[in-house]
């Protein structure tokens, strides 16, 4: 019985709240709408807050509440995890109010929104590049911000995603082998570019062993006139690899590639 009464009270309260909200939506009192939108935001009713604020932002231009209304609208989308829309509104804010009260927050949350909306590595990474750019701009504008370390960490994570995408591309070339052309060379070029663009990546060892594998396979599949030169390139790659990763998890494989390459070079020299 007590539970039934409590349920009725809650239902009645929700109905009153809903009716009050609907009256505010239909009202022409912009101050009432604005305060109701802020109240709903504080109560975490972000959908309602966004609905009211969306209508108000245009009319708030030129008023004392213009900045806050635009920033709160941006935050309502962020809280609803509509990160792309949030980023667009945060950009609008810091463009319109480059020295505004919420300018630092707007720049930071633009980067965070795009970071959170960054797709998987296999997909198009345009948004990831944009996120990196926004986070970089934030750090340049606010070098002493307490959020700088977090912004930099997000930037590193996004860069690792781009490296991983390059790694997957290089590995795909390697797996294709000599199918319809020399894919091993494409593997090497793609992997080397990844290391050049992101020299401090956590995937450096994995990418480097892939280059060594590709050089060895390219030597194996070369025409006779090029074999010995390419085995020598493989040996050079091996030395570069072990110098950088003397305790590599791939050491056994790398040593095997080196021994086979040396043997084939020696065999050719004997001939």
């Amino acid at each position: 019985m007590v539970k039934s009464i409590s349920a009725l009270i809650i239902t009645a309260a929700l109905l009153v709240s809903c009716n009050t909200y609907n009256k505010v939506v239909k009202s022409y009192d912009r101050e009432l709408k604005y305060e109701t939108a802020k109240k709903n935001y504080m109560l975490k009713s972000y959908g309602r807050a966004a609905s009211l604020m969306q209508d108000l932002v245009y009319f708030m231009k030129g008023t004392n509440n213009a900045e806050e209304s635009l920033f709160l609208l941006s935050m309502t989308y962020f809280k609803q995890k509509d990160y792309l829309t949030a980023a667009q509104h945060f950009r609008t804010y810091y463009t319109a109010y480059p020295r505004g009260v919420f300018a630092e927050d707007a720049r930071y949350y633009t980067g965070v929104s795009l970071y959170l909306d960054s797709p998987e590595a296999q997909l198009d990474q345009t948004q990831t590049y944009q996120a990196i750019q926004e986070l970089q701009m934030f750090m340049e504008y606010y070098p002493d911000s307490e959020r700088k370390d977090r912004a930099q960490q997000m930037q590193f994570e996004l860069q690792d995603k781009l490296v991983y995408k390059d790694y997957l591309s290089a590995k795909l070339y390697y797996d294709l082998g000599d199918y319809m052309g020399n894919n091993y060379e494409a593997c090497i070029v793609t992997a080397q570019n990844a290391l050049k663009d992101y020299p401090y990546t956590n995937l450096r060892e994995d990418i480097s062993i892939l280059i060594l594998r590709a050089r060895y396979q390219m030597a194996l599949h070369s025409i006779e006139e090029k074999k010995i030169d390419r085995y020598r390139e493989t040996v050079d790659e091996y030395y570069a690899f072990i110098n950088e990763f003397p305790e590599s998890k791939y050491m056994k494989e790398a040593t095997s590639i080196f021994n086979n390459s040396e043997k084939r070079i020696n065999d050719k020299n004997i001939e």
Side-chain angles (χ1 to χ4, degrees), residues 144-159:
D144 299 320
S145 172
E146 61 182 17
R147 294 165 169 166
K148 181 181 178 181
D149 289 344
R150 177 56 186 147
Q152 191 169 58
Q153 180 59 39
M154 286 188 285
Q155 193 178 53
F156 288 155
E157 290 175 22
L158 293 168
Q159 288 174 346

Side-chain angles (χ1 to χ4, degrees), residues 192-211:
Q192 286 177 333
N193 286 338
L195 293 179
K196 180 180 178 182
D197 293 339
Y198 308 102
Y200 305 111
T201 175
N202 293 329
L203 289 172
R204 188 172 182 87
E205 184 178 353
D206 302 282
I207 295 172
S208 296
I209 191 64
L210 187 59
I211 294 173

Side-chain angles (χ1 to χ4, degrees), residues 179-194:
Y179 176 73
M180 296 183 70
N182 185 358
N183 292 296
Y184 295 119
E185 186 170 10
C187 168
I188 293 168
V189 170
T190 302
Q192 286 177 333
N193 286 338

Side-chain angles (χ1 to χ4, degrees), residues 167-183:
Y167 170 73
L168 291 177
S169 297
K171 191 174 183 303
L172 177 60
Y173 283 125
Y174 179 84
D175 292 340
L176 287 171
D178 58 355
Y179 176 73
M180 296 183 70
N182 185 358
N183 292 296

Side-chain angles (χ1 to χ4, degrees), residues 21-34 52 55-56 59-60:
Y21 174 76
N22 289 334
K23 287 180 181 178
V24 173
V25 170
K26 296 175 183 178
S27 173
Y28 291 100
D29 188 339
R30 290 170 188 164
E31 286 302 320
L32 174 63
K33 282 188 173 183
Y34 185 60
L52 290 169
D55 293 335
L56 288 169
F59 296 105
M60 289 291 178

Side-chain angles (χ1 to χ4, degrees), residues 251-269:
M251 186 57 72
K252 184 176 180 180
E253 179 186 359
T255 302
S256 176
I257 290 173
F258 168 75
N259 289 335
N260 290 336
S261 298
E262 282 278 86
K263 182 178 183 301
R264 291 174 184 272
I265 291 170
N266 291 332
D267 289 344
K268 284 289 181 182
N269 287 334

Side-chain angles (χ1 to χ4, degrees), residues 74-118:
S74 308
M75 286 301 299
T76 59
Y77 286 116
F78 181 83
K79 295 292 186 179
Q80 293 178 88
K81 299 183 179 182
D82 184 353
Y83 297 122
L84 192 56
T85 304
Q88 292 169 350
H89 282 83
F90 284 127
R91 274 201 195 105
T92 300
Y93 176 90
Y94 73 64
T95 301
Y97 307 103
R99 297 185 180 180
V101 177
F102 306 102
E104 180 177 343
D105 291 327
R107 284 194 176 275
Y108 177 73
Y109 279 110
T110 303
V112 174
S113 297
L114 293 171
Y115 162 81
L116 292 171
D117 207 48
S118 176

